[in-house]
Amino acid sequence: ITMNGIIGEIVTLLDYAEEVSNERNTYYSAFIGGSAIEEMDYFVDNGIPFSLLVKLGKDMQGETHLDYITSEYGIEEDDVLYSSAPSSISMEGTLLVKNTAPSFIKKEEVMDFIEKNHIDKIIISSLLLSFDPVKKEITEALEKEKDRIKVVVVDAEDITHTMMIEDLYESLKRISKAIPDTYISGDILTEVGVKRVSSEMIKDLFI
């Protein structure tokens, strides 16, 4: 039995709540998102089975994300990876973003995920392939597992998820050399040997 794999990040977005904030108090409304959530929703909506590789920070934020994915998607707690680093925080306009700890994913963890779950088709967030060192860890793992992996889809639908376009380009080049059936969704870039796939068509690759 083979399985589809998702490698992505989870974020808590704290959006400035203008209608209730005042001079003395600033309020935010929180919601959980990120590429891993979007992809899981897509797979669930289309009845596609999957396994998830995500790395959470060892803090309250990581606990919140863990509770969410175990209760909403039935992810097994034992399958979730933890970083010794806390969740990262960044500002994007009026959004305060509390991220998981995906930059600490290691090559051995990706290989173990592929082998243990018999993954042969995988979708990866463009974020994780667009900065060091995590892009190197993931691409090297895919090169080593090239005999197992039939299809790789890079989810680049949301351009804001990509950190460095040059790094993403480099990752795509390496992955497509090892795995001929490499696809990218979104209009961020074109690379010879990488096929384009629309978000509606992704399910055909994973069914």
Side-chain angles (χ1 to χ4, degrees), residues 21-60:
S21 295
N22 54 45
E23 283 171 21
R24 273 180 308 180
N25 297 305
T26 303
Y27 293 98
Y28 286 87
S29 55
F31 59 97
I32 292 178
S35 73
I37 301 294
E38 288 159 20
E39 284 146 17
M40 287 195 291
D41 284 341
Y42 183 83
F43 278 30
V44 168
D45 290 347
N46 288 287
I48 303 168
F50 65 86
S51 289
L52 172 70
L53 173 64
V54 71
K55 199 158 195 177
L56 304 183
K58 266 280 189 205
D59 54 17
M60 270 181 69

Side-chain angles (χ1 to χ4, degrees), residues 35 38-39 123-127 153-158 161-162 183-186 202:
S35 73
E38 288 159 20
E39 284 146 17
I123 186 164
I124 306 168
S125 163
S126 64
L127 172 76
V153 175
V154 176
D155 177 1
E157 284 290 322
D158 187 340
H161 286 180
T162 302
Y183 297 79
I184 187 166
S185 68
I202 286 173

Side-chain angles (χ1 to χ4, degrees), residues 178-191:
I179 298 153
D181 271 349
T182 296
Y183 297 79
I184 187 166
S185 68
D187 303 319
I188 193 165
L189 56 82
T190 30
E191 161 58 13

Side-chain angles (χ1 to χ4, degrees), residues 125-177:
S125 163
S126 64
L127 172 76
L128 301 180
L129 296 173
S130 67
F131 69 99
D132 276 322
V134 68
K135 77 173 175 89
K136 192 167 171 284
E137 300 285 335
I138 293 174
T139 49
E140 284 183 6
L142 292 174
E143 285 168 340
K144 289 207 173 293
E145 297 290 341
K146 64 179 189 214
D147 295 336
R148 289 174 189 267
I149 302 293
K150 293 190 192 129
V151 173
V152 174
V153 175
V154 176
D155 177 1
E157 284 290 322
D158 187 340
I159 201 161
T160 63
H161 286 180
T162 302
M163 302 266 280
M164 308 285 289
I165 290 184
E166 300 81 3
D167 285 21
L168 177 61
Y169 178 75
E170 201 185 294
S171 300
L172 274 168
K173 219 162 142 173
R174 280 184 67 174
I175 293 167
S176 62
K177 258 192 190 142

